[in-house]
Amino acid sequence: MKETLLKYIPEQAVTPAFDLIMKYNVHLKIVNERVTRHGDYRRMSNGQHLITINSSLNSYRFLITLIHEIAHLVAFEKYGIRIKPHGIEWKSTFQRLMLPYINPSVFPSQLLPLIARHFKNPKASSDTDEYLSVALKRYDPPNDKNYIFEIPQGSVFRLYNGKVFKRGNKRVKRYECTELNTGKVYLFNPNAEVEIINV
């Protein structure tokens, strides 16, 4: 297991992450990319804890996702299954579990301030933290995707599901985008990744 973890997370994080996996009897399954989520946690009918994480994540995002999912397990065990999945119990658990990793031996120094800020009040996904998401993307392999905030107003773009939109005005934080087939207007986070279409 340690050898497998070494392929996916920073070297200095391997032993403490492995210890958490063993302590909480986690069955870690590394899967092909799912566009709608980086990872998930489920308690199986046999009592085992299954965590799945996308294999395509860079090592820093993979580590954050792994600890995010273990925090679900730990919070449910400590506070019961009736808590909100991303409520205060999960947030405090995630903060506590993540704290040992927030140091320069694990994360690059340019990421540390953004990670520290994010963990003052962690969100349901690191993707909803615009600044952290953009910073983490710098460690991804190059691709042909752009963020909504990077593309000019009026640009036509495609989502992973094939739907085509035109970028409109920015509201307070999000962007109005019109689906070309239906004319419906949707709000997009600034850091939603899309593929520009030249029309």
Side-chain angles (χ1 to χ4, degrees):
M1 172 62 82
K2 278 191 177 182
E3 294 77 20
T4 301
L5 284 175
L6 194 53
K7 296 175 189 173
Y8 292 101
I9 64 175
E11 184 176 354
Q12 294 298 319
V14 168
T15 297
F18 175 78
D19 291 345
L20 275 178
I21 288 168
M22 297 308 290
K23 178 178 180 180
Y24 292 104
N25 190 28
V26 170
H27 176 68
L28 178 62
K29 190 174 178 184
I30 299 165
V31 298
N32 291 333
E33 182 174 13
R34 297 159 296 182
V35 179
T36 55
R37 70 184 89 150
H38 295 313
D40 64 16
Y41 160 71
R42 280 180 292 161
R43 185 183 176 111
M44 308 300 283
S45 55
N46 63 4
Q48 190 172 34
H49 303 287
L50 174 66
I51 289 176
T52 61
I53 301 183
N54 293 357
S55 61
S56 58
L57 303 181
N58 70 52
S59 62
Y60 308 116
R61 197 183 297 274
F62 194 105
L63 175 60
I64 292 169
T65 304
L66 175 62
I67 304 304
H68 172 125
E69 301 304 339
I70 291 174
H72 281 303
L73 183 171
V74 175
F76 285 135
E77 295 245 309
K78 182 173 181 181
Y79 300 104
I81 59 168
R82 294 186 190 277
I83 62 169
K84 291 182 179 178
H86 297 106
I88 57 170
E89 299 88 353
W90 170 80
K91 288 183 184 219
S92 64
T93 304
F94 192 14
Q95 288 167 326
R96 181 175 53 80
L97 292 177
M98 195 66 199
L99 193 58
Y101 302 96
I102 303 175
N103 67 70
S105 70
V106 175
F107 288 100
S109 57
Q110 58 268 35
L111 276 181
L112 284 173
L114 297 168
I115 289 171
R117 197 188 76 178
H118 177 78
F119 279 95
K120 286 180 181 173
N121 183 22
K123 306 280 191 285
S125 168
S126 59
D127 282 351
T128 55
D129 181 332
E130 178 183 344
Y131 301 105
L132 180 57
S133 177
V134 170
L136 285 169
K137 187 180 183 340
R138 292 187 193 122
Y139 299 91
D140 289 343
N143 64 30
D144 59 352
K145 302 284 193 297
N146 292 88
Y147 288 124
I148 287 278
F149 76 85
E150 294 175 318
I151 66 176
Q153 185 172 337
S155 297
V156 176
F157 64 87
R158 182 184 295 120
L159 288 184
Y160 66 91
N161 59 11
K163 291 184 178 180
V164 177
F165 294 82
K166 187 174 194 176
R167 206 205 94 170
N169 293 321
K170 184 178 183 182
R171 283 200 187 172
V172 180
K173 288 187 176 180
R174 297 188 289 176
Y175 290 85
E176 292 179 344
C177 299
T178 305
E179 186 182 359
L180 294 187
N181 272 352
T182 64
K184 288 184 179 177
V185 176
Y186 294 85
L187 293 177
F188 281 76
N189 283 326
N191 56 333
E193 285 190 284
V194 300
E195 178 190 352
I196 293 182
I197 301 172
N198 295 316
V199 290

